[in-house]
């Protein structure tokens, strides 16, 4: 059966950065005989504009039929005042939940060429290679009850629920241990077990799963300490496992270690091999439509798609090599630009990657 990739450009810089990844996919199809079919759909704010819903039924149907999904980003000021359940970000939460994409892999890898682009000292970050594994379909982002209610005294109260059951913790812990066993064999589970019962259970269950992976060294760390350690000495980490909200925050923090949030890809995986791939950043409305967004996080997300969902290791490696090569040649978008480097726009960066791929494929 032909493998299908659904492309969801989304909002803000989404369409600009996705265009670059789409051109690369077309290159692999035409020049490398990659056998996939491409389709596209609406999600987020643009879907609200067209259909009234952030995740239209048609998009969900296509997503369920697809082998993998490549997404840009959703959201923006235009849709911030509409009813909460109809906001763009709810479309994203809904597609993750509907497809059971519970494991979010966010590699924070520093290309040596960008060591100077980080705001931290070069010696602190050079050689950095961390895999952050974030639970994606549970925890406080999904827990009920949630909402904003009126209290008897007339003031409003906002409330959310942090909830994790054993099965949810076990399945994400298993992914993290398997990942660590294929890397340096070190796993740090991040929680707030001293204060939050849900993460006290998290710690217990992760320790139980550890018994099946004696080759992996497990460490537990509180979120406040982990945030500090990530900035103080990030290279102490190999794989970090954490909850939905803590992972959201820690991975943005880790992105700055790699030079820019525009460099951080992500894969959201279900147990059956299906995956949704997207940059870790948002729709960056402040720079949308200016051809200055860094497309490399999206291009590296495509490389994760090729590796994890299509099992096309050769193309995945080739794409990562091409990204590395354009960085070696000194090409930089605005967010990673420094003195002596060649300033390029979103399109030029995409084209440069394709040009390098042509030489690698020859
Ligand atoms: P953001 O990640 O969009 O932007 C934060 C900062 O990083 C901005 O200054 C932006 O210009 C910059 N930036 C982001 N991506 C970049 C890139 N590729 N190249 C260069 N610079 C880049 O976060 P935000 O401003 O907090 O959120 C903007 C919108 O995105 C909101 O509506 C938010 O809800 C949404 N959002 C969506 C996702 C997603 O789709 N997965 C994730 C986070 C935020």
């Amino acid at each position: 059966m032909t493998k299908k990739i659904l492309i969801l450009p989304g909002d803000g810089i989404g369409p600009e950065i996705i265009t670059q990844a789409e051109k690369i996919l077309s290159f692999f199809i035409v020049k490398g005989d990659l056998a996939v079919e491409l389709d596209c759909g609406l999600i987020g704010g643009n879907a609200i504009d067209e259909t009234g819903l952030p995740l239209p039924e048609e998009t969900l149907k296509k997503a369920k039929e697809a082998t993998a999904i490549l997404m840009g980003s959703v959201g923006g000021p235009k849709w911030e005042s509409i009813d909460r359940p109809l906001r763009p970000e709810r479309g994203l939460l809904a597609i993750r939940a509907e497809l059971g994409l519970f494991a979010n892999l966010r590699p924070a890898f520093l290309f040596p060429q960008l060591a100077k682009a980080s705001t931290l000292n070069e010696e602190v970050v050079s050689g950095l290679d961390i895999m952050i594994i974030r639970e994606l379909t549970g925890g406080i982002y999904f827990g009920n009850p949630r909402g904003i209610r009126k209290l008897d005294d007339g003031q409003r109260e906002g409330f959310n629920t942090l909830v994790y059951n054993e099965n949810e913790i076990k399945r994400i812990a298993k992914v993290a241990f398997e990942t660590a066993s294929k890397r340096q064999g070190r796993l740090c589970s991040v929680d707030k077990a001293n204060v939050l019962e849900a993460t006290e259970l998290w710690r217990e269950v992760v320790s139980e799963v550890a018994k099946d992976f004696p080759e992996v060294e497990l460490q537990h760390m509180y979120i406040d300490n982990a945030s500090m350690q990530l900035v103080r000495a990030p290279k102490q980490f190999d794989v970090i496992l954490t909850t939905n909200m803590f992972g959201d925050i820690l991975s943005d923090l880790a992105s700055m270690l790699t030079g820019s949030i525009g460099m951080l890809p992500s894969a959201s995986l279900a147990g059956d091999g299906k995956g949704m791939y997207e940059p870790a950043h948002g729709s960056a409305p402040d720079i949308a439509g200016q051809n200055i967004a860094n497309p490399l996080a999206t291009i590296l997300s495509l490389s994760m798609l090729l590796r994890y969902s299509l099992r096309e290791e050769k193309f995945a490696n080739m794409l990562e090599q091409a990204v590395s090569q354009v960085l070696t040649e000194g090409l930089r978008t605005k967010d990673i630009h420094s003195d002596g480097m060649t300033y390029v726009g979103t399109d030029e960066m995409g084209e440069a990657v394709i040009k390098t791929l042509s030489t690698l494929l020859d």
Side-chain angles (χ1 to χ4, degrees):
M1 215 168 65
T2 318
K3 291 177 177 169
K4 287 185 187 163
I5 298 178
L6 176 64
I7 298 177
L8 303 174
D11 309 316
I13 59 169
E16 300 165 54
I17 51 178
I18 278 286
T19 299
Q20 311 313 317
E22 206 175 339
K23 285 193 291 198
I24 292 168
L25 258 175
S26 303
F27 171 86
F28 281 137
I29 293 169
V30 175
K31 304 278 183 195
D33 291 331
L34 175 68
V36 288
E37 260 175 34
L38 307 185
D39 196 359
C40 60
L42 300 171
I43 192 167
N46 59 86
I48 296 170
D49 290 348
E50 292 255 335
T51 70
L53 293 171
L55 178 63
E57 202 50 51
E58 192 190 348
T59 302
L60 184 58
K61 184 170 175 284
K62 285 181 180 182
K64 285 183 175 165
E65 287 165 6
T67 314
I69 299 137
L70 184 65
M71 206 197 73
S73 49
V74 298
K78 183 178 174 192
W79 303 282
E80 264 163 21
S81 55
I82 58 178
D83 271 359
R84 207 166 287 106
L86 291 176
R87 285 190 196 157
E89 292 76 6
R90 288 297 173 94
L92 189 55
L93 294 183
I95 198 169
R96 287 171 179 168
E98 287 280 350
L99 301 180
L101 304 172
F102 69 92
N104 187 218
L105 274 55
R106 296 187 165 198
F109 171 79
L110 178 75
F111 283 91
Q113 304 91 319
L114 293 183
K116 285 192 172 61
S118 173
T119 45
L120 292 179
N121 281 342
E122 204 174 330
E123 63 268 24
V124 174
V125 291
S126 62
L128 183 92
D129 181 6
I130 305 173
M131 178 65 87
I132 298 180
I133 299 189
R134 165 187 172 196
E135 199 290 326
L136 201 61
T137 52
I140 199 161
Y141 289 4
F142 286 91
N144 282 307
R146 63 190 297 160
I148 299 175
R149 61 191 162 206
K150 215 43 176 287
L151 296 179
D152 292 344
D153 66 1
Q155 66 165 324
R156 287 171 303 153
E157 177 180 72
F159 57 101
N160 290 90
T161 305
L162 170 59
V163 55
Y164 270 117
N165 65 43
E166 283 185 270
N167 287 343
E168 284 173 317
I169 305 169
K170 262 186 208 155
R171 66 179 182 179
I172 190 72
K174 207 163 156 272
V175 172
F177 278 103
E178 282 166 356
T179 307
S181 66
K182 290 183 204 136
R183 292 172 45 106
Q184 296 168 36
R186 289 182 294 112
L187 176 63
C188 179
S189 174
V190 173
D191 59 42
K192 190 70 182 168
N194 50 344
V195 178
L196 301 170
E197 284 81 355
T199 68
E200 193 181 322
L201 180 69
W202 176 280
R203 189 175 279 224
E204 278 177 29
V205 175
V206 171
S207 299
E208 286 161 18
V209 176
K211 292 177 189 144
D212 295 331
F213 296 88
E215 73 282 15
V216 176
E217 184 194 317
L218 172 66
Q219 178 191 19
H220 298 282
M221 201 178 274
Y222 296 135
I223 177 68
D224 35 357
N225 184 23
S227 319
M228 189 267 280
Q229 295 296 341
L230 256 179
V231 180
R232 191 189 71 85
K235 283 185 278 181
Q236 69 183 283
F237 296 106
D238 175 20
V239 178
I240 292 178
L241 162 67
T242 192
T243 62
N244 202 342
M245 182 162 74
F246 293 163
D248 192 2
I249 299 165
L250 279 190
S251 56
D252 264 32
L253 190 161
S255 73
M256 272 323 289
L257 308 174
T258 69
S260 164
I261 195 154
M263 292 300 299
L264 204 73
S266 89
S268 305
L269 307 175
D272 59 3
K274 186 182 289 257
M276 185 161 90
Y277 301 81
E278 54 178 311
H281 59 73
S283 58
D286 54 332
I287 58 167
Q290 299 173 39
N291 193 35
I292 57 173
N294 186 344
L296 293 181
T298 311
I299 291 174
L300 292 168
S301 302
L302 172 60
S303 129
M304 294 183 89
L305 183 157
L306 291 162
R307 175 168 295 121
Y308 292 115
S309 284
L310 300 189
R311 308 271 167 214
E312 294 283 357
E313 191 71 23
K314 188 184 85 177
F315 289 131
N317 289 338
M318 201 184 283
L319 188 48
E320 282 159 15
Q321 198 185 331
V323 168
S324 180
Q325 208 161 307
V326 296
L327 292 173
T328 303
E329 285 161 15
L331 272 57
R332 301 282 188 275
T333 42
K334 192 176 177 195
D335 55 316
I336 49 174
H337 187 257
S338 57
D339 284 349
M341 298 293 143
T342 309
Y343 181 94
V344 291
T346 312
D347 271 337
E348 286 165 285
M349 186 59 107
E351 290 301 327
V353 172
I354 294 175
K355 199 168 149 217
T356 309
L357 282 173
S358 328
T359 63
L360 294 174
L361 205 61
D362 278 346

